[in-house]
Amino acid sequence: MNWTEHFARRVGYIKPSTIREILKLTQKSDIISFAGGLPAPYLFPVERLKEASVQVLEKQGSQALQYGTTEGYTPLREWVSSRIPNTTVDNVQIVSGSQQALDLIAKVLLNPGDKVLVTAPTYMGALRAFDAYEVDYVMVDVDDKGMIPASLELALKQKPKMIYAIPNFDNPTGITMSLERRQMLVEMAKKYNVPIYEDDPYGELRFEGEALPSLYQLAPELVIYAGTFSKIVVPGFRLGWLVAEPELLIVVARAKQAADLHTATFIQMIAYEISKDGFMDGQITKVRAYYKNQRDLMLKALEKNFPEDCHWTRPKGGMFLWVTLPKGLDSIKMLMQAVEHKVAYVPGEPFFAKGGGENTFRLSYSIATPEQIDEGMNSLGKVIREQTKVEELV
Ligand SMILES: Cc1ncc(COP(=O)(O)O)c(C=O)c1O
């Protein structure tokens, strides 16, 4: 069978990734990789999950192993709702990882040719989820406070169908949107009548400063909020939640039913078991302290090893920071050099919906050991200096 001639038109929108090919090289064991965004496995509460699994099976075994409702396990939905002011269980849809929420919302809201407003750069996984619905993008520039108002207004004039935002500890930049910018964003969204998708996988991972109100809290009528257990408990659960007005969620539930009937009941019940008794709060405290230390180590190593004309973000939470190299350096070209020096990162360009960011890259500080951070930043600093010399000679 020649499958290519049988593909649906949308396959043309699902682009192959050259970066993925390069990054495959980084999976060799002798390479120190800051490329992946994997949560630190040392934080997985294996013993508590083992205990909770047994508790669920003993107390509610047949319910846990049976088909469940598409909206999700009600006590878990109630728990999510109890953590988000002014919501009820009817505002909560359980999803199979917050990645599924991106797909479901795109399926329900976006027609081919619609424009999605995204920051430049943004989460690659969101772009790939939206791509399959044959959409186009408008990009908004960001600074260290989030979306720049003038750029946002220009983008809104192009009539996007939806705004996609990651206000807390953005992937890939680590930037947190300031309160003023949050207020400005919801005001502009209201003015132009555009819904906002607020993706918040990292919100609980705040290392410093006061938590800011979510966009959803500021304007629940126009915001769709997505959260996840991936970064605070384990990503392998594939468990997240969507919070929005019931009128929208009813349609989302229909789309989800067609996709996977419902999220695994057993997993939802285990998650509820560890959430209801306060264990989760202790877990979040532990996770935060761990990543804060990782961030501090990375910032110190950057300060020590990187040339002065490089810039990087100082995230107040989350798992990533974003490096800007001097103009003229190309982080894709440089990756091959870096891999030769046994160190890897993700080049910035693929995080841009419509190109750009050639001199940028993302670093994840989530799983490296202190020694690897030190050694890795030392090697990368050398690679940058070498590349700078090469560019000067050209
Ligand atoms: C911004 C963002 N959104 C969504 C996801 C998907 O997370 P999950 O499906 O594990 O909940 C990720 C994962 O890295 C992410 O960084």
Side-chain angles (χ1 to χ4, degrees):
M1 179 69 79
N2 177 2
W3 284 108
T4 320
E5 63 190 38
H6 291 268
F7 286 158
R9 191 184 58 195
R10 75 181 68 87
V11 171
Y13 285 76
I14 305 172
K15 300 171 198 107
S17 165
T18 43
I19 302 295
R20 199 184 298 273
E21 295 310 309
I22 305 176
L23 289 177
K24 272 189 197 153
L25 297 173
T26 70
Q27 282 160 8
K28 290 187 197 146
S29 60
D30 62 340
I31 289 187
I32 306 175
S33 179
F34 302 97
L38 295 183
Y42 339 106
L43 296 167
F44 297 167
V46 178
E47 280 309 309
R48 180 70 186 100
L49 291 178
K50 190 169 137 193
E51 222 175 75
S53 312
V54 173
Q55 281 164 339
V56 167
L57 287 173
E58 278 179 0
K59 285 189 289 189
Q60 300 153 283
S62 39
Q63 190 189 351
L65 302 172
Q66 186 53 279
Y67 281 120
T69 54
T70 304
E71 290 78 5
Y73 179 51
T74 307
L76 185 66
R77 293 168 71 207
E78 282 166 349
W79 179 81
V80 171
S81 147
S82 74
R83 295 173 76 91
I84 305 179
N86 305 318
T87 58
T88 72
V89 70
D90 294 329
N91 296 107
V92 181
Q93 166 70 55
I94 299 295
V95 284
S96 303
S98 59
Q99 187 68 27
Q100 184 184 41
L102 291 163
D103 177 66
L104 293 176
I105 290 298
K107 191 178 257 177
V108 161
L109 295 186
L110 304 176
N111 289 314
D114 280 347
K115 292 177 182 141
V116 184
L117 185 153
V118 295
T119 52
T122 191
Y123 171 50
M124 227 189 283
L127 297 175
R128 297 297 83 84
F130 302 153
D131 282 347
Y133 295 91
E134 305 177 35
V135 300
D136 194 6
Y137 297 97
V138 270
M139 296 204 302
V140 172
D141 294 326
V142 292
D143 61 17
D144 61 348
K145 297 186 179 64
M147 294 185 192
I148 298 172
S151 177
L152 176 63
E153 183 122 43
L154 269 180
L156 283 166
K157 288 195 168 131
Q158 294 186 50
K159 299 196 173 20
K161 187 79 184 296
M162 184 173 90
I163 297 168
Y164 174 70
I166 312 166
N168 291 319
F169 329 125
D170 174 46
N171 178 5
T173 64
I175 290 169
T176 302
M177 196 185 286
S178 71
L179 177 59
E180 294 70 26
R181 294 278 175 91
R182 289 173 195 234
Q183 287 161 335
M184 179 269 312
L185 173 59
V186 296
E187 284 317 310
M188 297 259 243
K190 271 185 207 165
K191 180 174 154 194
Y192 286 88
N193 193 30
V194 187
I196 302 174
Y197 186 111
E198 177 177 25
D199 202 3
D200 194 25
Y202 305 101
E204 296 280 12
L205 306 186
R206 177 175 277 279
F207 313 145
E208 57 199 38
E210 286 290 298
L212 296 171
S214 64
L215 303 173
Y216 180 80
Q217 273 170 268
L218 296 176
E221 71 285 6
L222 65 109
V223 177
I224 304 156
Y225 176 93
T228 180
F229 283 104
S230 290
K231 319 295 173 176
I232 51 174
V233 192
V234 287
F237 265 8
R238 309 310 305 127
L239 189 58
W241 56 90
L242 251 185
V243 176
E245 292 199 316
E247 187 190 348
L248 172 66
L249 290 189
I250 288 168
V251 185
V252 170
R254 277 186 224 144
K256 180 170 164 68
Q257 193 161 36
D260 66 354
L261 299 183
H262 63 81
T263 295
T265 320
F266 187 27
I267 296 297
Q268 293 187 68
M269 291 173 97
I270 297 170
Y272 176 65
E273 192 66 33
I274 64 163
S275 303
K276 69 177 186 196
D277 63 3
F279 171 84
M280 190 71 90
D281 295 320
Q283 168 75 7
I284 291 172
T285 308
K286 198 170 119 188
V287 171
R288 264 188 206 152
Y290 178 84
Y291 288 126
K292 178 183 185 301
N293 188 47
Q294 293 288 106
R295 179 213 52 181
D296 291 345
L297 291 171
M298 176 75 96
L299 286 177
K300 227 165 94 186
L302 283 166
E303 212 61 68
K304 188 168 124 198
N305 294 295
F306 271 32
E308 264 180 22
D309 48 3
C310 290
H311 301 280
W312 53 89
T313 54
R314 288 170 174 72
K316 294 192 168 72
M319 292 169 26
F320 306 106
L321 60 76
W322 186 248
V323 178
T324 305
L325 296 165
K327 277 235 157 21
L329 288 198
D330 183 325
S331 65
I332 296 184
K333 265 203 251 164
M334 200 177 82
L335 182 58
M336 293 314 290
Q337 296 299 115
V339 170
E340 273 173 28
H341 284 75
K342 310 272 178 246
V343 60
Y345 54 79
V346 189
E349 204 262 348
F351 294 99
F352 288 74
K354 305 190 90 163
E358 290 79 4
N359 64 330
T360 58
F361 61 87
R362 187 190 77 176
L363 290 174
S364 163
Y365 45 79
S366 59
I367 52 172
T369 62
E371 296 73 33
Q372 286 175 327
I373 291 179
D374 226 33
E375 198 186 320
M377 290 309 109
N378 184 282
S379 305
L380 211 42
K382 283 185 192 149
V383 171
I384 296 169
R385 285 193 177 84
E386 272 172 29
Q387 280 298 112
T388 311
K389 273 193 212 140
V390 171
E391 288 304 319
E392 279 166 3
L393 290 175
V394 173

